[in-house]
Amino acid sequence: WLLALGVLVGAVRPTLPGKRALAAVLLLTALGAWSWITITSSESSERTLAEVARIATYLGFFLLALFTLDRGRAPALLLGVGSAIGLIALLAVLSRLQPQLLPVNETGDFLPIAQARLNWPLNYWNGLAALCAIGLPLALSFAAAHRSVLVRGIAAGLVPVLALCIDLTISRGGIVAAALGVIVL
């Protein structure tokens, strides 16, 4: 809806995406259509419909990004994503070090294994570790090569926070993803 509204008011000028982007759009659309078709044979039509809605949301955000971003805005987008991930990691680590400052994490009440693992604010330790694994190479690249000294300093300060957050989640997959991300960087 945002994309359609942006096109109507002239804020977004749709252009034909490249072949790889078009392939991704077609594959996401096909996945959504396939999920929609299987709704009648599903064990739970409500959960299947929720997955169709999730796929449609992913497709909508992907299309919005395709039509509103260009190469000139990519560095600002990466800085924004890296900053958001860094803030989430900082809050997560703070929730472990100073739990009285942040909301109570109730995940441990339902999953006893979650009591030892850092999972707040996402309430899923593997998801939090994966998010921080995405943020680690971003922070390292900003710390090494950004124009602004302030951004380089903040990014360098976030690197140990992201690593500590991954460690406190006790997520093997997060550790492997972070290591692979750093190696690729």
Side-chain angles (χ1 to χ4, degrees):
W1 291 113
L2 286 174
L3 183 61
L5 181 65
V7 170
L8 285 176
V9 299
V12 176
R13 288 180 224 103
T15 59
L16 188 62
K19 290 179 183 178
R20 288 185 287 179
L22 189 59
V25 168
L26 290 175
L27 287 172
L28 268 173
T29 304
L31 178 63
W34 181 259
S35 299
W36 181 266
I37 289 169
T38 62
I39 205 166
T40 57
S41 62
S42 173
E43 192 175 286
S44 170
S45 59
E46 291 84 14
R47 286 191 299 198
T48 305
L49 188 60
E51 288 304 314
V52 170
R54 183 186 326 245
I55 293 167
T57 302
Y58 291 158
L59 179 61
F61 276 109
F62 185 67
L63 286 171
L64 184 65
L66 272 179
F67 291 139
T68 58
L69 294 176
D70 56 9
R71 286 195 181 272
R73 295 183 187 162
L77 175 70
L78 288 175
L79 185 61
V81 169
S83 299
I85 293 171
L87 179 63
I88 290 170
L90 188 64
L91 288 172
V93 170
L94 189 61
S95 76
R96 179 58 56 96
L97 300 177
Q98 297 293 325
Q100 72 276 8
L101 297 178
L102 296 162
V104 175
N105 184 3
E106 298 173 349
T107 306
D109 296 341
F110 301 105
L111 294 169
I113 192 173
Q115 292 174 349
R117 297 170 181 246
L118 180 62
N119 58 55
W120 189 87
L122 301 184
N123 294 335
Y124 181 50
W125 57 88
N126 285 322
L128 182 59
L131 185 67
C132 290
I134 291 169
L136 190 60
L138 279 174
L140 284 169
S141 66
F142 288 135
H146 199 272
R147 293 182 309 247
S148 168
V149 173
L150 179 64
V151 172
R152 284 196 313 257
I154 292 171
L158 283 176
V159 168
V161 173
L162 288 161
L164 179 61
C165 188
I166 293 168
D167 183 52
L168 290 174
T169 62
I170 315 171
S171 170
R172 295 180 304 267
I175 292 169
V176 169
L180 287 175
V182 170
I183 290 169
V184 169
L185 175 68

